């Protein structure tokens, strides 16, 4: 029903834009509520009053809030995000973001796909075998990993690898000689550095998706029409694939949509523990350094990523089941 | 042993000078509770979870009696006890970098976790339920606006939001409670609202409106009690989430560092090289406690879900 | 999670088996081998698996590709725990940044391994005898061989420019090297390779100056900096490609590496003037500064040999030493000793009166500070918080500079004595009036008499401490318990670095934990406690006329013995006034690999060899010789993983799609 679909998209896009705008504004106001005099953060030891005044002017921190807000909006839409003030003093943010963004996209992108695929597979497997030992085993496993603090697993993994492997790298998104490798070498270098953080990241998401898939699938499998399907003489595999899963997908997709935010959030902890130079890591050092322009931009990127992810998930939901209410 | 106590309480309540309809309501409530408890008892996972939670609550309440050393967090122990001593009879879980007994630290560490868990999820629940009730019941414009706001907060990435708030508000125990509370209410709202929407159409609400009951009255007297079981189940998940979040915030140094909690113990372990020197006892004790407690609440939540939600019971 | 037997009965458990691909394929092959027929589908399905097995077998055992840092290049990898905060020497200020700038830039005069002045850009220097007053003009004869890294020649113009850039009207905002430029009147170039610095006293009159041979500020290239306003240079210029005359050069990638924050790669400068002038030659190709966020990782990497030399903090060093004792090896050598940079940990007391809301002026009473000093158990702090890797603190000058260091006599020393501390407070008029364990100021106290506070104000102070510095945090928590015993309550205010800096800069605090490092010449560290540094480097706004007098005299005295007397006086005055309570002088702890480089030398006999020496042209770098040890890398493992992942993904797609109603493969595998 293209007409319906078009209306759905339009409505969703409208919401998307509205939420984006709200996020931008929220972002702005959040970072203006900071303690103390922000100008002081810019000025290292040794400047006198006159210099402080001149710098406040230079960074534009003393203009009325409305003017600051408008400048902020204008800058955001033209891609000028200002300058970092303490982490990389004087460096413009849009220059410095790109490599971090790329690193995070790799980690979170692969992590999301992997955790969805593997999580759904394992959840499907254990739902199908519910009540058996395998199911019990899986469920206990999943619950423990779901409830384990992310950083803990990452740290334990790091410690074990550091202790038992003679040369597996334990820090960074790529090695020191990265620049001198050819394409294949670069790929291999990145792989070696990304494997551990990826593993730590997906373990928890896999557990979550498995649990959701399992419970959603179990819901469906115990419905009346499943008995009908069996009675019709359909093969088990067909039942699973063509009857049970599509109906179970709805809540799973909804959960995945809500969980994209979690994956993006959780990546910070992994990145910090493994010193993996991604957006989360940058956000962390920006927070430690009270580098508000930088924090503002990263936070906005993350929020936008979550919204876009939700939007994509909503579209998929609609295509799966047009009855879904907007 | 519980039963005579419950009977006594019931008798006392009923004997109190309350109006007959109230008395009846209380009787119904007690009966419902008993039914739920009976059903709950049949759920093995739920019982395990409950047992663990009770265990930790007792540990927290009687911490000064259970701990083998008083003032376990004082640095003065460094003069007296060996540092990084493995578990022994004297130090049940070994000692840390300053010779402080890990067992006593762990016992006292249960307090902040439970306090934060309960208080933060209370805040969350109150906020979330209030918004959910109002949005679901009043519908139309109010609903739209409130749900947009909720969605907005849902969309903000949760951990970054917490660390930003924590860095803005400064590290302190009360700030942590507030931060966790205000970042987890949106989940509750969605669930409550959905439930309210379905309860709203029920005939007895129509009847109440027919006899002229005002909105507030309807919400509090009729809708809320019906929604409450769901709220309760959801709150338990919130507690699990709060304890989880609290351990993060502690570990990343965004909480009061002088407070003894499992998260700060892990932070100390990390900073003082327990991971590289394999002082496994110092890492295992708080980690195991965090995991156990979160798992326990999770199991209780699932069990409550099953018990209270008629749809799930058939599985 | 209840097992609901009703709904599972028609679907028997066995038929629900959905085995993983490999398992099923193995089963089908077993069947083939036993039955003799050849079902095509299974064959097709198993091909990806066979491919994987083939690869597994060809890669076993995993052979790491041995690479000697890429085509014969040797590198020194130095691991540190903090990042370089700026490439611009006028902007950044943490210790590792100084180490970095010292590799790239030069100064006129440097320090050798025994912390004595040695020539760098200035081949020789002397006081010009016929310029009066004698000692006010110093002449430096510069090397002809120095070239900037971009090929331009180094001349006296650059020296003149560097100084002019920071004096006069620019002095107030060019804060970075103020202790060195404070007394510089003007600089002139006599010819292309000779400069004269004219010194002045604090009134602006030409005056003899003793610090002519300790001007350690970096000389920057005029042709690259002249277009920048000094305001930009001091606060916002990023200096993306630092060009200096030093033994190491930056590359075009340096700025990107700095932004990425993982490491910085510096190349050996083949045209280094030191080689021609002094025979100083760097014998390896690259120096890599590796930035770590986790001490655990540093320790692991030095154990594994992934890095060549590392700076480790005290607690992790203690653990590392335990590991080393359990696994003794000749390959790793460690050193822990007083830092050649005069590192000290101090509690600063804000000495300015209007310090803002929430602060307590009672701290201005010297008796209170002295009591605090007596109640500080420095031994405990050293033994347990720093694990013995520190010396007990007294004044802000570290005993690593034995010539200038003044040690308090037993009667002057603030030895740990709680009863004495209580006594001091009692006699000073601070008593516990309301029995809550905290003393209050009575009318008899100086605080009330000087109208610093109202009578009855309790002795409660806030202590600002940086969240990342665990030792500082622990010290404050320890002192909190200890000072309570004498009736003083302190409240830790734990903040992040930026907030800490802003609070300290604004001067709105009671006490704060800080650290200092400086030059072997006492000028720098004594300057920061003088009144001239208020509004600049002075953290605690300490101001004493007597101190200032002695400071000025020490700077203008040319005779070292005379100078030392004033330096001793300064230290004694500062110690007595206790505006800085120095707790400990922490050791710098290092570990390095003898199997990768030789020539490290004896760092305890020659503290100036330590790798964190931040005065340019560190002798260490000219002595280190690579042993030719190879380093493994894990590229092969990376490729292997990629291949496996690729195969798995391809296999998942190759699995034939089931059509509706088609033959059920399960029938083949039916048990």
């Amino acid at each position: 029903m293209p007409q319906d679909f078009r209306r759905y998209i339009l409505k969703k896009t409208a919401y998307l834009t509205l939420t984006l705008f709200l996020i931008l504004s929220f972002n702005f106001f959040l970072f203006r509520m900071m303690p103390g005099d922000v100008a002081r953060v810019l000025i290292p030891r040794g400047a006198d009053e006159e210099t402080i005044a001149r710098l406040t002017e230079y960074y534009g921190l003393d203009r009325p809030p409305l003017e600051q807000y408008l400048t902020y909006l204008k800058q955001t839409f033209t891609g000028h995000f200002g300058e970092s003030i303490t982490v990389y003093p004087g460096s413009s943010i849009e220059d410095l973001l790109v490599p971090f963004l790329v690193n995070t996209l790799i980690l979170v992108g692969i992590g999301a796909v992997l955790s969805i695929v593997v999580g759904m597979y394992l959840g499907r497997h254990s739902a199908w075998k519910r009540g058996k030992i395998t199911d019990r085993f899986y469920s206990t496993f999943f619950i423990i990993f779901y409830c384990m603090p992310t950083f803990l697993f990452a740290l334990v993994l790091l410690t074990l690898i550091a202790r038992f492997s003679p040369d597996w790298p334990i820090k960074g998104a790529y090695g020191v000689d990265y620049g001198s490798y050819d394409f294949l070498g670069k790929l291999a270098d990145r792989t070696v550095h990304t494997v551990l953080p990826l593993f730590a990241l997906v373990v928890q998401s896999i557990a979550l998706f498995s649990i959701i898939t399992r419970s959603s699938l179990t819901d469906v499998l115990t419905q009346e029409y499943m008995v009908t399907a069996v009675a019709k003489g359909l093969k088990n595999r067909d039942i699973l694939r063509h009857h049970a899963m599509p109906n179970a997908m709805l809540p799973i997709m909804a959960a995945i949509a809500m969980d994209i935010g979690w994956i993006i959030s959780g990546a910070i902890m992994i990145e910090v523990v493994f010193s993996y130079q991604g957006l989360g890591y940058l956000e962390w050092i920006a927070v430690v350094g009270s580098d508000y322009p930088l924090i503002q931009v990263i936070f906005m990127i993350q929020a936008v990523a979550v919204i876009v992810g939700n939007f994509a998930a909503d579209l998929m939901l609609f295509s799966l089941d047009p009855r879904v209410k907007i | 042993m519980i039963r005579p106590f419950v009977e006594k309480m019931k008798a006392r309540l009923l004997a109190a000078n309350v109006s007959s309809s109230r008395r009846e309501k209380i009787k119904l409530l007690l009966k419902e509770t008993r039914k739920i408890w009976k059903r709950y008892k049949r759920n093995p996972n739920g019982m395990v979870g409950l047992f663990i939670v009770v265990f930790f609550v007792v540990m927290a309440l009687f911490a000064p009696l259970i701990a083998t050393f008083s003032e376990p967090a004082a640095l003065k122990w460094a003069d007296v006890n060996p540092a990084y001593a493995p578990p022994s009879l004297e130090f049940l879980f070994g000692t840390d970098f300053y010779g402080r007994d890990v067992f006593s630290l762990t016992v006292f560490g249960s307090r902040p976790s439970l306090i934060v868990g309960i208080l933060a999820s209370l805040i969350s629940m109150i906020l979330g339920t209030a918004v959910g009730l109002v949005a679901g019941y009043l519908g139309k414009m109010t609903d739209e606006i409130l749900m947009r706001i909720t969605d907005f907060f849902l969309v903000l990435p949760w951990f970054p939001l917490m660390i930003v708030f924590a860095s803005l508000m400064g590290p302190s125990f009360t700030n942590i409670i507030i931060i966790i509370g205000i970042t987890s209410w949106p989940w509750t709202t969605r669930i409550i609202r959905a439930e309210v929407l379905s309860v709203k159409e029920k005939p007895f609400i129509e009847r109440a409106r027919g006899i002229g009951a005002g909105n507030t009255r309807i919400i509090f007297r009729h809708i809320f009690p019906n929604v409450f079981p769901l709220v309760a189940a959801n709150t338990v998940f919130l507690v699990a989430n709060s304890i989880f979040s609290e351990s993060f915030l502690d570990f990343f140094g965004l909480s009061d560092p002088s407070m003894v909690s499992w998260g700060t113990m892990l932070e100390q372990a990390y900073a003082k090289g327990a991971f590289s020197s394999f002082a496994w006892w110092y890492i295992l004790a708080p980690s195991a406690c965090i995991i156990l407690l979160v798992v326990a609440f999770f199991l209780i939540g699932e069990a409550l879900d099953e018990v209270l939600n008629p749809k799930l019971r058939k599985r | 999670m209840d097992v609901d037997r009703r709904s599972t009965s028609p679907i028997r458990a066995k038929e629900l088996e959905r085995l993983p691909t490999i398992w099923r394929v193995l089963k089908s092959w077993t069947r083939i081998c036993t039955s003799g027929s050849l079902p095509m589908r299974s064959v097709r399905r198993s091909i990806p698996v066979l491919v994987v097995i083939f690869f597994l077998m060809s890669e076993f055992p995993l052979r790491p590709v041995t690479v000697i840092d890429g085509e014969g290049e040797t590198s020194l990898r130095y691991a540190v725990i903090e990042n370089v905060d700026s490439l611009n020497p006028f902007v950044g200020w943490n210790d590792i940044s100084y180490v970095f700038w010292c590799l790239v830039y030069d100064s006129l005069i440097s320090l050798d391994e025994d912390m004595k002045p040695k020539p760098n850009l200035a081949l020789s220097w002397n006081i010009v005898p016929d310029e009066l007053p004698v000692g006010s003009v110093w002449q430096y004869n510069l090397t002809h061989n120095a070239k900037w890294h971009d090929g331009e020649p180094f001349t006296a113009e650059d020296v003149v420019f560097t100084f002019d850039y920071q004096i006069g009207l620019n002095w107030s905002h060019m804060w970075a090297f103020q202790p060195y430029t404070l007394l510089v009147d003007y600089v002139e170039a006599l010819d292309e390779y000779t400069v004269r610095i004219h010194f002045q006293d604090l009134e602006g009159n030409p005056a003899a100056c003793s610090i002519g041979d300790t001007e350690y500020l970096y000389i920057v290239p005029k042709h690259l900096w002249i277009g920048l306003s000094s305001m930009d240079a001091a606060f916002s210029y990023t200096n993306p490609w630092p060009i200096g005359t030093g033994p190491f050069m930056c590359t075009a990638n340096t700025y990107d590496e700095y932004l990425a924050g993982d490491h910085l790669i510096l190349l050996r400068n083949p045209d280094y003037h030191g080689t021609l002038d002094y025979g100083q030659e760097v014998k390896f190709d690259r120096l890599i500064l590796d930035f770590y966020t986790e001490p655990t990782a540093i320790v692991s990497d030095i154990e594994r040999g992934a890095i060549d030399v590392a700076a480790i903090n005290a607690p992790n060093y203690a653990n590392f030493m335990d590991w080393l004792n359990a696994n003794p090896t000749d390959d790793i050598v460690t050193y822990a000793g007083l830092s050649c940079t005069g590192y000290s940990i101090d509690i600063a007391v804000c000495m300015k009166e209007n310090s803002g809301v929430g602060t307590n002026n009672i701290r201005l009473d010297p008796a209170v500070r002295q009591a605090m000093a007596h109640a500080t158990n420095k031994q405990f702090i050293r033994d347990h918080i720093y694990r013995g890797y520190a010396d007990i603190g007294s004044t802000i000058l570290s005993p690593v500079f034995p010539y200038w260091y003044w040690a308090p006599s037993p009667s002057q020393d603030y030895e740990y004595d709680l009863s004495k501390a209580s006594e001091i407070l009692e006699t000073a008029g601070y008593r516990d009036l309301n029995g809550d364990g905290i003393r209050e100021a009575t009318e008899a106290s100086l605080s009330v008499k000087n109208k610093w506070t109202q009578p009855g104000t309790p002795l409660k102070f806030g202590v600002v401490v940086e969240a990342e510095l665990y030792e500082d945090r622990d010290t404050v928590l320890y002192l909190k318990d200890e000072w309570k015993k004498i009736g003083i309550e302190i409240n830790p205010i734990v903040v992040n670095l930026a907030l800490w800096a802003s609070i300290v800069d604004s001067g709105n605090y009671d006490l704060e934990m800080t650290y200092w490092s400086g030059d072997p010449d006492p000028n720098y560290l004594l300057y920061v406690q003088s009144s001239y540094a208020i509004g600049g480097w002075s953290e605690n706004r300490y101001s004493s006329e007597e101190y200032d007098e002695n400071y000025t005299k020490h700077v203008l005295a040319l005779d070292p013995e005379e100078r030392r007397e004033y330096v001793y006086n300064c230290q004694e005055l500062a110690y007595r006034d206790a505006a800085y309570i120095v707790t400990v002088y922490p050791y710098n702890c290092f570990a390095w690999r003898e199997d990768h480089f030789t020539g490290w030398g004896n760092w305890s006999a020659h503290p100036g060899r330590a790798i964190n020496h931040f005065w340019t042209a560190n002798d260490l770098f000219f002595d280190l010789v690579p042993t030719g040890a190879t380093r493994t890398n894990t590229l092969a493992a990376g490729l292997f993983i990629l291949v496996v992942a690729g195969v798995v993904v391809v296999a998942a797609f190759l699995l034939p799609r089931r059509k509706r109603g088609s033959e059920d493969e399960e029938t083949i595998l039916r048990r």
Side-chain angles (χ1 to χ4, degrees), chain B residues 98 270 272 306 314-315, chain C residues 1 4 294 384 387 474:
Chain B
Y98 290 121
Y270 172 62
K272 299 292 195 300
E306 231 182 85
K314 270 203 328 199
R315 293 203 266 145
Chain C
M1 297 209 204
D4 193 339
E294 266 163 72
H384 300 292
R387 290 304 215 129
D474 290 340

Side-chain angles (χ1 to χ4, degrees), chain C residues 8 35 56 60 78 126 148 179 193 226 238 324 341 373 459 509 514 546 586 593 623 630 657 662:
Chain C
T8 52
S35 74
L56 274 166
F60 182 90
Y78 173 25
N126 57 278
W148 297 103
Y193 296 107
I226 193 159
T238 56
L324 210 54
T341 59
L459 264 63
Y509 65 92
T514 180
E546 235 186 306
R593 307 236 15 150
D623 291 340
T630 57
R657 296 274 148 192
S662 61

Side-chain angles (χ1 to χ4, degrees), chain C residues 242-533:
Chain C
I243 301 284
T245 51
F248 295 96
M249 310 191 293
C250 292
T251 65
N253 297 328
T254 297
Y255 188 55
D256 290 331
E257 286 171 0
Y258 158 71
L259 289 179
D262 187 52
H263 54 263
L264 281 176
I265 302 184
L266 298 174
L267 303 177
R268 178 179 154 268
N269 178 5
D271 300 320
Y272 181 51
H273 72 92
T275 319
L276 293 163
D277 293 332
Y278 317 110
Q280 292 169 333
E281 198 184 343
V282 174
K283 301 176 181 73
F284 49 91
D285 300 306
R286 305 189 302 177
L287 196 155
I288 303 177
L289 286 174
D290 225 338
F291 305 123
Y292 281 69
T293 51
E294 266 163 72
T296 320
I298 293 190
V299 170
S300 303
D301 274 351
I302 197 84
E303 284 171 13
R304 304 188 306 176
I307 49 186
D308 301 315
V309 52
I312 311 175
N313 71 343
N316 285 283
Y317 186 73
N319 294 334
F320 179 61
M321 290 306 275
D322 289 338
W323 176 87
L324 210 54
N325 289 333
N327 309 293
T329 164
D330 281 334
D331 293 336
I332 301 181
V333 177
T334 59
Y335 167 72
L338 284 175
S339 169
C340 61
T341 59
Y343 191 46
S344 67
I345 302 286
D346 330 283
I347 305 174
V349 183
C350 182
M351 298 299 288
K352 122 181 136 150
E353 202 176 315
N354 40 344
S355 48
V357 179
T359 58
N360 189 342
N361 281 340
I362 298 181
R363 66 181 189 277
L364 297 171
D365 184 345
V368 172
R369 298 195 299 275
Q370 285 162 354
M372 285 177 180
H374 274 292
T376 305
N377 187 349
K378 298 175 188 171
Q379 190 134 16
F380 181 95
I381 295 175
R382 180 196 62 184
D383 289 338
H384 300 292
I385 298 182
Y386 288 89
R387 290 304 215 129
Y389 293 109
D391 272 358
I392 295 191
S394 48
T395 72
I396 209 176
L397 257 64
S398 159
V400 81
F401 312 130
Y403 186 75
W404 303 107
Y405 171 67
W406 168 87
S409 67
S411 55
Q412 292 167 313
D413 187 30
Y414 291 124
E415 56 165 342
Y416 175 58
D417 189 342
L418 287 177
S419 51
K420 186 159 184 192
S422 301
E423 203 188 304
I424 293 179
L425 287 174
E426 276 293 324
T427 28
Y430 299 97
R431 286 174 210 117
D432 184 14
L433 302 168
N434 54 9
D436 64 347
I438 312 294
R439 294 174 185 269
E440 288 89 27
T442 63
E443 258 105 32
S445 68
L446 198 63
S447 314
V448 174
K449 289 200 197 129
N450 284 357
K451 298 231 175 23
W452 289 328
T453 186
Q454 299 293 329
T457 316
L459 264 63
K460 290 189 185 175
F461 305 101
V463 183
V464 183
V465 58
E466 214 190 303
E468 307 270 293
L469 301 176
Y470 294 105
E471 288 91 44
D472 285 3
R473 259 171 40 180
D474 290 340
T475 308
V476 172
L477 288 175
Y478 173 63
L479 290 178
K480 183 172 169 167
D481 287 335
E482 288 280 296
W483 290 3
K484 197 146 201 176
K485 299 180 193 167
I486 62 167
I488 296 182
E489 183 181 306
I490 55 175
N491 169 38
I493 304 173
V494 181
V495 292
N496 64 28
L497 172 62
L499 198 53
W500 174 90
S502 96
I503 293 178
V504 168
D505 275 343
S506 65
N508 297 344
Y509 65 92
D510 283 325
L511 273 63
E512 52 109 0
M513 294 288 303
T514 180
Y515 71 88
W516 278 100
S517 47
D519 298 332
D521 188 281
N523 175 47
Y524 184 86
L525 288 173
L526 291 183
Y527 170 79
V528 301
Q529 291 192 95
S530 69
S531 311
Y532 309 110

Side-chain angles (χ1 to χ4, degrees), chain B residues 53-68:
Chain B
V53 170
V54 167
F55 172 72
F56 278 110
V57 168
V58 164
M59 183 194 265
L61 283 175
F62 295 106
L65 297 173
I66 302 178
T68 47

Side-chain angles (χ1 to χ4, degrees), chain B residues 7 32 44 56 61 77 113 151-152 188 191 256 270 282:
Chain B
E7 299 292 336
E32 273 296 312
F56 278 110
L61 283 175
W77 292 112
S113 304
D151 278 347
F152 172 72
T188 322
I191 299 177
D256 184 359
Y270 172 62
Y282 191 27

